Amino acid sequence: MPELPEVETVKRTLNQLIVGKTIEQVDVRLRRIIQRPEEPDEFALLLQGQTFHGVDRRGKFLLLRTDDFTLVSHLRMEGRYGVYDKNDPMELHTHVVFHFTDGSELRYKDVRQFGTMHLFPKGTELNEQPLKKLGLEPLDETFTLDAFIRKLEGRTTKIKPLLLNQEYIVGIGNIYVDESLFAAGIHPEREAGSLSRKELAALYEAIIQTLNDAVAAGGSSIKSYVNGQGEIGMFQHQLQMYGRKGEPCQHCGHEIEKTVVAGRGTHFCPKCQPLKRKNARKAGA
């Protein structure tokens, strides 16, 4: 699934490709992609004649801005956008096509068909699902150390699933949680409330650094991710934990292990990320 760096890359690419283009018509080829309004025909009619003015991101969601509406798009597992000439062959699994007045088209493809689109009157999108309950935005200026600590302090939940919970912090998926926890030296099964302020500060910095590095590299192409121009990301070549089970840790040389935490495959170095149990510390261990 595309995570924050990949969605940020798609956002930046679409801003280069579709801003200023006016929609002549919309062709919805798979009804269930459209979640709001209920009728795809209404979705298409509302967007007819609208011009794209910019693309923003909230967590893993794209926010495509038009004159009167915000189109909230979630790529889920394998959704992708691309801009084509109207005469280009229509590829398989193309489910929504935005036909522009200049003869080009924005096409949404989704092999797994899990992606969604919600259309809201401009300015109302943050007050409704799926954006209403989203947590802190880790690349935003509001993501301060104090705000981060307030979200985590006192929580008995293991730190990895808490970081994956989009109601706490948005956009950080499995890849970047593993990488951030390694960079901070924190075991993925530590209770969030057991982390000291120093450890939380290290994790806070690691999240920001990891995500910024990934955005700079265009994201990670682990399976099928490409940006709006069909280009793959390159951050997978910088991964130090994710997908490296059995390999030596680049920091200490210890063998990288893989376990399952909250149902997610999890990579960690047992030497660099020791599991310090809260009750053990109370006993003086």
Side-chain angles (χ1 to χ4, degrees):
M1 176 187 294
E3 301 179 19
L4 185 154
E6 291 76 48
V7 179
E8 177 68 19
T9 302
V10 173
K11 180 205 83 173
R12 295 181 181 187
T13 304
L14 290 179
N15 271 314
Q16 298 173 11
L17 296 176
I18 68 170
V19 170
K21 290 181 180 285
T22 299
I23 301 168
E24 186 171 59
Q25 67 180 67
V26 181
D27 180 16
V28 178
R29 302 157 65 93
L30 184 66
R31 294 177 60 91
R32 69 169 172 267
I33 297 292
I34 310 303
Q35 297 290 301
R36 178 185 172 128
E38 292 184 1
E39 291 299 324
D41 288 347
E42 182 182 358
F43 174 89
L45 182 62
L46 289 171
L47 285 173
Q48 190 172 331
Q50 295 282 308
T51 298
F52 281 117
H53 294 289
V55 182
D56 296 319
R57 179 191 54 74
R58 181 73 171 100
K60 301 179 186 180
F61 292 88
L62 292 166
L63 283 65
L64 291 79
R65 313 286 193 181
T66 72
D67 301 296
D68 302 311
F69 299 98
T70 298
L71 172 56
V72 178
S73 173
H74 197 335
L75 303 176
R76 294 297 175 98
M77 297 295 290
E78 296 196 27
R80 62 175 72 172
Y81 284 99
V83 175
Y84 300 80
D85 182 84
K86 65 180 180 181
N87 296 315
D88 290 338
M90 193 68 66
E91 297 176 338
L92 291 174
H93 311 295
T94 299
H95 302 311
V96 183
V97 181
F98 301 83
H99 303 270
F100 295 126
T101 55
D102 66 358
S104 63
E105 297 175 349
L106 175 66
R107 299 177 183 176
Y108 175 77
K109 296 170 52 181
D110 193 342
V111 175
R112 301 288 293 276
Q113 303 179 6
F114 291 155
T116 60
M117 295 184 188
H118 294 74
L119 189 65
F120 296 96
K122 188 166 59 176
T124 67
E125 64 278 355
L126 297 179
N127 301 319
E128 304 282 350
Q129 292 289 51
L131 302 182
K132 184 178 181 179
K133 294 184 178 181
L134 293 182
L136 296 172
E137 185 72 52
L139 296 186
D140 189 81
E141 61 183 13
T142 60
F143 186 65
T144 64
L145 176 58
D146 285 341
F148 178 66
I149 290 175
R150 284 196 298 271
K151 281 287 185 181
L152 303 189
E153 62 184 355
R155 306 291 177 182
T156 57
T157 308
K158 293 177 181 178
I159 187 60
K160 175 162 184 176
L162 195 151
L163 292 176
L164 290 172
N165 187 330
Q166 300 300 293
E167 293 187 15
Y168 288 87
I169 303 169
V170 299
I172 317 175
N174 205 36
I175 297 171
Y176 300 111
V177 168
D178 280 4
E179 294 298 306
S180 297
L181 288 171
F182 169 67
I186 295 171
H187 193 284
E189 294 184 294
R190 287 278 303 278
E191 288 185 6
S194 75
L195 299 175
S196 67
R197 185 177 179 87
K198 181 178 180 180
E199 288 174 315
L200 288 169
L203 180 56
Y204 168 79
E205 295 293 343
I207 289 170
I208 294 174
Q209 187 65 56
T210 299
L211 292 177
N212 277 319
D213 288 347
V215 170
S220 301
S221 290
I222 302 297
K223 293 184 179 179
S224 59
Y225 161 74
V226 295
N227 67 18
Q229 294 174 310
E231 301 166 336
I232 66 171
M234 300 302 291
F235 191 69
Q236 66 273 13
H237 301 300
Q238 301 179 43
L239 296 176
Q240 298 189 65
M241 281 293 116
Y242 185 85
R244 296 189 178 278
K245 175 187 176 183
E247 297 181 22
C249 170
Q250 296 178 27
H251 180 71
C252 72
H254 196 286
E255 184 176 301
I256 294 170
E257 296 184 8
K258 181 179 180 181
T259 188
V260 176
V261 180
R264 305 299 299 272
T266 299
H267 301 78
F268 67 100
C269 172
K271 185 173 181 179
C272 295
Q273 300 165 264
L275 180 56
K276 304 172 184 176
R277 297 196 179 278
K278 193 172 184 180
N279 58 357
R281 292 205 310 276
K282 285 183 177 180

